[in-house]
């Protein structure tokens, strides 16, 4: 027996419908693994937070460029790893919170 085709006209405004829950572990992994290579924000995009994910991605690249320029002054050797570690910690935490919000988990 095949399911009936989806008809958007049957949706009622203001009604709530169940959603498939997203995996918190997958979101954190999508933030950490690419983050090891300097690509942050993918876990937040998976969590449904597109502006935050894109913002993390581009802000890290901008700060990476600034830190790279600061290497020639000597301070970039300190600020670059600190920036990377800050994003590596903050990104997964934000992704986990976003997935909790998506899944409707209350604290």
């Amino acid at each position: 027996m095949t399911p009936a085709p989806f008809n958007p006209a049957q949706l009622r405004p203001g009604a709530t419908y169940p959603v498939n829950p997203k995996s918190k572990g997958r979101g954190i992994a999508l933030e950490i693994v690419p983050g090891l290579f300097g690509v942050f924000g993918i876990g937040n995009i998976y969590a449904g937070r597109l502006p935050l994910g894109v913002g993390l991605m581009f802000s890290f690249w901008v700060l990476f460029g600034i830190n790279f320029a600061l290497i020639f002054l000597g301070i970039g050797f300190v600020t670059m790893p600190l920036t990377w570690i800050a994003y590596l910690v903050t990104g997964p935490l934000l992704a986990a919170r976003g997935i909790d919000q998506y899944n409707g988990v209350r604290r």
Side-chain angles (χ1 to χ4, degrees):
M1 186 168 166
T2 60
F6 174 71
N7 183 359
Q10 294 175 340
L11 299 178
R12 294 184 317 266
T16 58
Y17 297 96
V19 295
N20 291 332
K22 293 191 177 188
S23 166
K24 190 184 289 190
R26 182 177 294 158
I28 292 171
L30 284 171
E31 197 65 42
I32 291 176
V33 174
L36 295 173
F37 302 99
V39 181
F40 292 96
I42 297 174
N44 283 286
I45 293 171
Y46 169 76
R49 298 170 141 191
L50 181 66
L52 178 62
V54 172
L56 282 171
M57 193 176 297
F58 286 111
S59 66
F60 177 78
W61 291 340
V62 167
L63 289 175
F64 182 83
I66 292 169
N67 286 324
F68 185 76
L70 289 175
I71 284 178
F72 298 106
L73 299 176
I75 193 169
F77 290 111
V78 175
T79 59
M80 188 176 285
L82 290 177
T83 303
W84 181 72
I85 290 169
Y87 274 77
L88 202 56
V89 170
T90 306
L93 291 175
L94 291 173
R97 184 177 296 164
I99 290 170
D100 281 345
Q101 287 177 350
Y102 179 87
N103 291 338
V105 176
R106 295 190 179 176
R107 293 183 182 203

